[in-house]
Structures are given as C-alpha cells and as structure tokens.
Amino acid sequence: MTAMDRHIVIIGSGISGLVCAALLAKKGYAVTVLEKNHQVGGTLQVFSRDKAAFDTGVHYVGSLDEGETLNKLFNYLGILDTLSLKRMDEQGFDVIRLDDGFCINHGMGYDNFTVQLKNSFPNNHEDIDNICQEIKKYCTYFPLYNLELDAAINYVSNPEILEVGAWDKLHELTKNEKLIHTILGSGPLYCGLKDKTPFYVLALILNSYIKGSYRFSNGSSQLAKALVKKIRSFGGKVLKRKKVIQLHYSENGEVNSVSCSDGTSYTCEALISSLHPNETIKMAGKQYFKPAYRARMDKVENTTSTFMLYLSFKKNKVTYLNANYYDYFTADFWNKEFEYSDEWPKMTFTSFNHSSGDNQYTNSCSVMCYMDANVFKEWKQSIRTVVDNNEREELYYAFKKKCEVQILDRVKQRFPDLIQHIVSIHSSSPLTYRDFLASPDGSMYGIQKDYKKIHHTQVNTRTHIPNLYLTGQNVLFHGILGASLGAMITSFHFIDKQELVSEIKQC
C-alpha cells in the first residue's frame, strides 16, 4: 500500500506523536493527530500566570549543536530555523551543589566537561578520562542515536551492556565518592536510582547535553507549534479536545476507526499510540493482547512523579542564570529522594526561564522535586483537566500548600535573594501530571529502566493488533531526543529506514 492510500491516526500530541506525524506526513501519508487537551505538546505545553510563562516539563534540550542528531532531525523537518533558542553556559550548563557546600559545573563539550572536573579533582584525572571514555563508548552501542543503522557495534549484538548499573559502573571507574556524586548529580533527568538505573541511560542522556544544551526562549511550546505547522503544511491534521475512548475493529482484527468523547470518529488504515503501553492496552481492550504481555506490563515499574513549584518575579529584579541548578540536601545519593517526609525535598532542580531579547533578567523560574504519587493517593480518584474541569477537595489544596512551603524553605537556602522578589507562587502535583499527560501515576519518564530486569522493561513498537503501533519515550529512552528517536523507529514501519536516515544525515 502506498503512502497516498494510507490514512494513519496518531493518539497523543507529545513530542513523539508530533515528530512521528511530521515524518509520515512529509513522506505523503494522510495523518491525523488526536489530542485530548486544549493544548498540543504533552510536556512541551506552557501555561501563563501573572504575565509569566512556565514550561510544564521540558526545561532544556541537548544534542542541538551543529552536526548533532537532534539538530539534523529538526533541520530535516524544516523547523530548526524557526525555533528561538538560548545556548546555555559553556562553562556550566548544569551546576551540581552537594549537601556539604561542594559545587561544580558540568561544562559543555567534552573539553570543558573534563576541565571543570579535573580542576575540582586534581588527583583523579585518569579516573575522569576513563569515565568520559566509557560514556562515549556506551553511546556507540546505539546506532540510531548517532544516525547510523548498520553499525558493527550495537546493543542487540552486545546485550550485556544493557545490564550494567550506573552506580556500580562509576564505582568501578573511581573510588572518589564526591566525583561519583558529581557525575550522578544530574540524575533527576532520568530519575536515577542506585539499584536500578543502567549506565547506558546515564551515558545517552548526559552525552546529549554535553553536546549542545539549549533553552527554549519564551517557552518550549514553540517546538510543538512548529511541528504542528509543518504537519499541516504537509497535508496532515492536528486536532485538539479529541479524547479517544474506543477503538473499533474489522473482522480480521485490525483497527479500522477510533471514537472520541465528543461523538466524532476517525477511520484509519493504521493507528499509532504515543501513550504509555498500559494506557494503550486499556484503551484498545485487554482481550486483544496476550496474557503474558499484559502480565509483564502490569508488573513494570514506572519512574516516579514530580511536584513542581512555579515562581514569578518582579520585573527586572532577578538576574537570569544561564544554567540549571541541582541542589542536594542529603549525602544519601540516588536513594529514593522522592519519598515524602518532613525533610522533603532532599533534592531540587531549579531552571530559570529565558525571554528572547533579555539576557539580563528573568521573570520566572521552576523548581522540580521528585515525589511519589502515592503521597496524593487520598485524592487519586479525582480528575482535573481543561476538558474535565473538576475541583479537588480542600484538603488536597491544603497539602499542596504545605509542599510549597517546604520547597520554598529549600529555595531560601540556595537562592536567598530570590524570595524578596516573588510575585506569585503556583504548583503542580503528581495528579496534575497524571491527568494532563495520561501518564500512570504522573510518571515523569515512563517505564523505569532496570539493569537487572532489562528484558521486562523493553517495549516493541509492534503490538499484537496487526496495525496498532507504539511510539514515545518508552521505546528507547525519554526526553526530546529519546522520544524523537522513538518516533523515528515507529516510522520505519511505513518509511524505508535507510532512505530516511540518509536524508536526515545529509542535513
């Protein structure tokens, strides 16, 4: 069947759904993207409060320097030049601050990265070189990450590299605990856990940021808008407030249409879901999936959720900081910082918003803290989105306020000058993420990769329904880069992969 004969429906307009739609529409497929919310973009969505814009999930993106994978992909899709980007501080795009006051920068580019580390750890130069060498080596095992397809070295032929823990690997490479904590300091990017997180996850994500970290000036929603514009220019459709509630099947077991909560329906020759696999199973009907697959997915552990604090500031009072700050308030590293107690949060991630044309001041920042969704289990039956605009109980809002105060206490410790300039405070809980992103328990990054159970956490883009495919952050890894690569993998079912990768590389 040729592209012109085939209508593809994609559920969800997060980065993976939009990139997948753009790739397919560019190749001539009739594509319709269905989004349940009033905004497209998933974690690319922004919201405004007191004239300040806040990103809901994406605070910076890697692999965007010239020649890097995401740079080439966005160039191929024709959106790179339309994005308003702020390149972060080369000497320290990430700042890691430990509980004892030790502070170190993650420099951009491996030269800067190693110089910063070696200046702080003069007795561990060889260890630092070995760590960087291992990070680079592990990245070569993922050919598509480097826009390759037929590399002799790959994780399929060498599955043992998937079964190496990040915590254990770093302890093999150095005995300096503070150096280890420095490398692991940006662990909130992937919910790092000492007994679960594979080294390859650390390598793929940290390497991408070393190779070009950027902020979206005026918010990350511009990326979603740029992709939507391109999809429509290629003849595709992106429809909002279209919550898919049912799939319909032909006699041969294929999906032939989907129904939405507003009574509309859409026919399709193929269906792609960018939702979590368990959400897709629930929507499609459990009876269409093998019991063993359902059982595996039911047991899979998801990454933790987050509680976000959003601060807006008085005009021209708070200096813009061109780096992200990872602040730790415990020496017990990578050990379930998301558990709630009177000492929570034990870690904060602070990101300052950038407005185009103003490199001196910022009008807002976001503070992210790990949080187990079970903390809010008392209110888990409540649903609140723009479409389902229901109020939660007063006790929910009272507890949110308590969490806000606890985070503010941490902000005062590390950014004491900010407090006097705050105009307003807003927040989002794990339930907010669950409801708006259709993510189980508000999971930040989908399925928790576990180096001891690597095969249990792998997700194939094919499903047991012949024409239903999966895409998204669970296919390979999360983030803008990971989800975009996952979208490419899904598109290979419809597009010649050799041709597509070759075209992207030429950009």
Side-chain angles (χ1 to χ4, degrees):
M1 184 176 291
T2 64
M4 295 302 293
D5 299 324
R6 199 160 192 183
H7 184 204
I8 300 174
V9 168
I10 297 176
I11 301 175
S13 71
I15 182 65
S16 59
L18 293 178
V19 169
C20 198
L23 291 170
L24 295 173
K26 184 177 172 70
K27 287 294 183 179
Y29 284 90
V31 177
T32 299
V33 180
L34 302 176
E35 168 57 49
K36 72 170 186 174
N37 289 315
H38 76 301
Q39 266 195 71
V40 298
T43 55
L44 294 172
Q45 297 177 55
V46 299
F47 67 94
S48 297
R49 297 288 187 275
D50 303 301
K51 299 181 180 179
F54 297 94
D55 291 313
T56 58
V58 176
H59 301 97
Y60 67 144
V61 60
S63 188
L64 270 182
D65 272 352
E66 186 173 352
E68 297 302 323
T69 298
L70 201 57
N71 179 293
K72 289 191 174 187
L73 175 59
F74 286 175
N75 202 15
Y76 170 76
L77 292 174
I79 64 171
L80 185 62
D81 291 340
T82 70
L83 301 176
S84 179
L85 299 167
K86 172 65 176 176
R87 194 168 193 268
M88 299 181 73
D89 190 342
E90 286 190 358
Q91 303 307 312
F93 64 92
D94 281 345
V95 179
I96 314 299
R97 300 194 288 193
L98 305 183
D99 67 307
D100 62 358
F102 181 81
C103 177
I104 191 170
N105 295 349
H106 283 182
M108 205 184 310
Y110 274 97
D111 287 343
N112 285 330
F113 188 73
T114 55
V115 165
Q116 296 285 356
L117 290 176
K118 289 178 178 179
N119 286 343
S120 294
F121 300 99
N123 298 322
N124 298 98
H125 286 199
E126 185 177 350
D127 293 351
I128 291 166
D129 287 336
N130 289 337
I131 290 170
C132 290
Q133 182 179 340
E134 287 298 293
I135 290 172
K136 293 176 184 177
K137 185 179 87 171
Y138 270 67
C139 290
T140 65
Y141 285 97
F142 295 81
L144 192 60
Y145 180 86
N146 303 295
L147 291 177
E148 300 290 344
L149 288 173
D150 301 318
I153 298 176
N154 59 76
Y155 69 90
V156 176
S157 302
N158 302 271
E160 67 277 4
I161 68 105
L162 303 177
E163 300 173 344
V164 178
W167 184 269
D168 296 338
K169 183 68 173 179
L170 287 175
H171 278 81
E172 289 177 12
L173 295 170
T174 184
K175 303 305 179 186
N176 189 322
E177 286 290 328
K178 189 157 288 187
L179 173 58
I180 291 170
H181 289 182
T182 296
I183 300 296
L184 300 178
S186 57
L189 286 169
Y190 44 89
C191 288
L193 291 173
K194 63 173 64 175
D195 61 342
K196 294 184 184 296
T197 302
F199 184 75
Y200 82 84
V201 170
L202 179 153
L204 294 177
I205 293 176
L206 182 54
N207 178 78
S208 73
Y209 286 98
I210 292 173
K211 291 192 169 184
S213 294
Y214 291 76
R215 279 206 177 110
F216 291 105
S217 297
N218 309 318
S220 57
S221 63
Q222 60 176 290
L223 175 56
K225 292 175 182 176
L227 285 166
V228 169
K229 187 174 181 180
K230 278 297 174 182
I231 292 165
R232 289 171 175 163
S233 74
F234 297 142
K237 299 177 182 177
V238 180
L239 306 177
K240 295 177 286 188
R241 295 180 181 268
K242 296 291 181 180
K243 182 179 180 179
V244 177
I245 57 172
Q246 189 174 3
L247 276 56
H248 304 281
Y249 299 88
S250 62
E251 292 182 358
N252 63 1
E254 293 187 346
V255 181
N256 57 22
S257 67
V258 301
S259 295
C260 298
S261 58
D262 64 356
T264 57
S265 61
Y266 300 86
T267 60
C268 59
E269 281 70 45
L271 179 66
I272 297 172
S273 172
S274 67
L275 306 181
H276 188 286
N278 282 336
E279 294 297 313
T280 303
I281 291 171
K282 190 187 306 181
M283 181 181 296
K286 292 184 177 181
Q287 67 272 24
Y288 293 100
F289 296 84
K290 293 180 179 179
Y293 180 78
R294 296 202 314 264
R296 178 165 71 89
M297 286 294 105
D298 282 340
K299 292 178 181 178
V300 77
E301 184 179 349
N302 292 307
T303 56
T304 188
S305 189
T306 182
F307 191 102
M308 293 286 299
L309 192 69
Y310 308 100
L311 306 176
S312 63
F313 304 126
K314 299 172 186 174
K315 187 176 181 180
N316 298 340
K317 291 295 183 180
V318 176
T319 300
Y320 168 71
L321 299 177
N322 199 27
N324 297 305
Y325 289 78
Y326 294 84
D327 287 301
Y328 287 84
F329 305 91
T330 176
D332 190 11
F333 232 68
W334 271 34
N335 190 22
K336 298 185 178 179
E337 291 93 337
F338 48 78
E339 291 184 339
Y340 183 79
S341 69
D342 289 339
E343 297 178 353
W344 179 90
K346 296 179 180 179
M347 179 282 304
T348 61
F349 164 87
T350 305
S351 178
F352 294 86
N353 298 322
H354 180 262
S355 299
S356 58
D358 188 354
N359 292 320
Q360 185 174 359
Y361 297 105
T362 183
N363 63 4
S364 59
C365 79
S366 302
V367 186
M368 181 188 80
C369 308
Y370 285 162
M371 177 175 270
D372 190 330
N374 285 326
V375 175
F376 281 85
K377 64 182 179 181
E378 183 178 344
W379 305 284
K380 69 178 182 179
Q381 299 302 323
S382 64
I383 305 293
R384 179 172 169 78
T385 67
V386 172
V387 177
D388 300 302
N389 191 15
N390 304 307
E391 283 295 329
R392 305 193 202 272
E393 295 179 10
E394 285 300 319
L395 287 175
Y396 166 84
Y397 294 106
F399 184 64
K400 269 187 72 180
K401 179 61 68 174
K402 180 182 178 183
C403 293
E404 292 174 7
V405 171
Q406 288 181 246
I407 297 173
L408 273 177
D409 286 342
R410 295 304 195 189
V411 173
K412 289 177 185 178
Q413 293 178 45
R414 298 298 172 89
F415 300 96
D417 294 335
L418 288 186
I419 304 303
Q420 62 182 316
H421 302 304
I422 294 175
V423 173
S424 65
I425 301 170
H426 302 278
S427 63
S428 60
S429 74
L431 296 185
T432 312
Y433 274 77
R434 181 202 66 181
D435 294 349
F436 276 87
L437 302 179
S439 177
D441 295 325
S443 169
M444 292 169 63
Y445 308 131
I447 293 172
Q448 175 74 57
K449 303 297 184 184
D450 187 339
Y451 68 90
K452 299 186 296 295
K453 302 176 182 177
I454 204 66
H455 298 296
H456 289 273
T457 58
Q458 289 181 328
V459 174
N460 198 312
T461 53
R462 287 187 178 276
T463 72
H464 299 110
I465 299 171
N467 66 336
L468 172 62
Y469 303 88
L470 301 178
T471 194
Q473 62 181 358
N474 295 298
V475 171
L476 192 56
F477 65 99
H478 60 270
I480 299 292
L481 176 59
S484 296
L485 293 176
M488 285 180 61
I489 292 171
T490 304
S491 76
F492 291 161
H493 294 293
F494 308 92
I495 303 171
D496 182 89
K497 60 183 179 181
Q498 298 284 355
E499 177 183 301
L500 177 61
V501 172
S502 176
E503 291 174 353
I504 294 174
K505 286 177 70 174
Q506 289 175 18
C507 292

